[in-house]
Amino acid sequence: MRRIHKACVKDRVLHHAIFRILYPIFDQVFIFDLYSCRKDKGTHRAASRLEHFARKLSKNHCRNIFALKCDVRKFFDSIDQDILLNLVKKKIQEQNAIWLIERIIKSFEKEPNKGLPLGNVTSQLFANIYLNELDQFVKHNLKIKYYIRYCDDFVILGENEDGLVNLVDRISYFLKDKLKLSLHADKVIIGKYNQGVDFLGYVALPRYRVLRTKTKRRIFKKIKNKFYDFQEGLISKESFNQSLQSYLGVLGHCKGRKIKKRILSCRT
């Protein structure tokens, strides 16, 4: 469970106004393969990019390759507000703007001087600004070519397992030293690409992708609950069928003929 701290309507209008000004300023310094909360990006394009990288590195799946998948531990709760503010100041010098941005950043804290609220559009941009430091380190210092990040989840592809193991320590040290963050120890995973890479709700495999088992179970649990609501008269037939269509849309981005057939059998 995660707590969502949604601002009031008046403040949300302000957040969107700030976002519209700051986004084009910072978006131009982000790496191409950052896919969270950006125009013309998103989860499906990130999944497709991962497959593109895998085909390229494996010579069209003729060579075995490895994937390192990492997750930053308690990312939003652990963001250091002073570090974030200093990163913003590198691009924004106007004092009134800095005053307003600081008010927003400092309006929430999980611990003293730490944390960003989930639910605000500005938090999404601030999160990308914060972890852009990691992106630049990985691309320019570590010289990693096959790297994709979505929020605090990222994947690196490599030709050998030992090389990826060595990267974990260097990335962990950078996060701790520069950003006061740490990797989630239980979510640092290195494996063969042909065994599947679980990323953004899908499992990428050579030549196709499938729906994550956990996501599949969640879909059918929600369908069961929706069907119960329909039977009890809490939602309309149209609303129930619209929910089914949304799940079919998710399946449109992966191989899931059997799942699709099972969902279609639920239509009323």
Side-chain angles (χ1 to χ4, degrees):
M1 296 292 290
R2 297 185 182 184
R3 289 189 65 189
I4 305 299
H5 300 266
K6 185 180 287 187
C8 66
V9 173
K10 183 171 66 175
D11 285 348
R12 268 184 275 167
V13 172
L14 178 62
H15 282 290
H16 276 275
I18 293 168
F19 179 87
R20 289 177 64 180
I21 297 299
L22 295 184
Y23 178 86
I25 295 172
F26 285 96
D27 189 68
Q28 61 186 332
V29 303
F30 294 155
I31 65 169
F32 180 84
D33 290 308
L34 165 60
Y35 285 87
S36 56
C37 308
R38 297 177 72 193
K39 295 176 182 177
D40 301 320
K41 298 291 183 177
T43 56
H44 298 131
R45 293 196 178 189
S48 296
R49 183 69 164 172
L50 177 61
E51 292 170 352
H52 169 74
F53 279 166
R55 284 194 300 271
K56 199 169 182 180
L57 185 60
S58 66
K59 307 296 183 184
N60 203 24
H61 307 303
C62 293
R63 291 164 47 184
N64 195 23
I65 61 172
F66 295 84
L68 165 65
K69 184 174 180 294
C70 299
D71 179 283
V72 178
R73 184 176 180 274
K74 295 183 178 179
F75 172 56
F76 277 89
D77 290 345
S78 302
I79 289 175
D80 187 284
Q81 295 174 349
D82 289 334
I83 293 176
L84 173 59
L85 198 56
N86 287 332
L87 292 173
V88 172
K89 287 178 181 178
K90 289 181 179 181
K91 287 286 184 182
I92 307 297
Q93 284 81 41
E94 210 283 322
Q95 290 304 307
N96 288 330
I98 290 296
W99 174 84
L100 182 56
I101 291 167
E102 184 173 6
R103 286 287 300 273
I104 291 172
I105 292 173
K106 298 287 186 179
S107 66
F108 169 91
E109 59 180 20
K110 190 70 175 180
E111 297 177 17
N113 208 41
K114 281 185 176 290
L116 276 181
L118 285 167
N120 293 337
V121 66
T122 49
S123 295
Q124 299 168 0
L125 178 60
F126 291 150
N128 279 342
I129 293 170
Y130 202 77
L131 280 185
N132 180 55
E133 299 301 298
L134 171 65
D135 298 339
Q136 301 301 328
F137 173 74
V138 169
K139 298 298 289 186
H140 299 296
N141 292 73
L142 299 182
K143 308 293 184 183
I144 302 301
K145 188 175 182 180
Y146 302 110
Y147 166 80
I148 296 173
R149 180 171 69 82
Y150 188 97
C151 197
D152 60 326
D153 292 331
F154 59 91
V155 174
I156 297 174
L157 298 182
E159 294 180 300
N160 64 81
E161 188 173 5
D162 291 339
L164 295 178
V165 170
N166 292 333
L167 288 178
V168 175
D169 288 337
R170 298 182 69 182
I171 291 172
S172 294
Y173 178 80
F174 175 84
L175 286 172
K176 184 177 180 181
D177 183 55
K178 299 296 183 181
L179 300 175
K180 298 184 181 179
L181 298 173
S182 60
L183 294 177
H184 198 304
D186 295 334
K187 295 184 180 180
V188 175
I189 301 168
I190 300 176
K192 295 179 180 179
Y193 184 80
N194 60 17
Q195 293 177 337
V197 178
D198 189 334
F199 188 50
L200 304 177
Y202 298 100
V203 177
L205 291 153
R207 299 181 177 84
Y208 66 95
R209 81 179 75 134
V210 295
L211 201 62
R212 178 192 291 165
T213 302
K214 189 175 179 180
T215 305
K216 180 173 65 175
R217 288 174 181 164
R218 188 183 299 122
I219 285 175
F220 285 115
K221 183 179 179 180
K222 287 184 176 181
I223 288 175
K224 183 179 179 180
N225 291 336
K226 287 280 186 179
F227 185 69
Y228 175 81
D229 288 344
F230 168 66
Q231 286 184 315
E232 294 295 311
L234 300 175
I235 62 173
S236 66
K237 176 181 177 181
E238 182 183 9
S239 177
F240 176 71
N241 286 331
Q242 284 176 347
S243 296
L244 297 185
Q245 288 300 320
S246 69
Y247 300 133
L248 292 173
V250 172
L251 289 171
H253 298 274
C254 67
K255 184 178 179 181
R257 184 175 57 84
K258 290 182 179 179
I259 304 172
K260 181 179 179 180
K261 186 176 180 181
R262 186 175 167 188
I263 289 175
L264 288 173
S265 69
C266 297
R267 286 192 301 186
T268 60

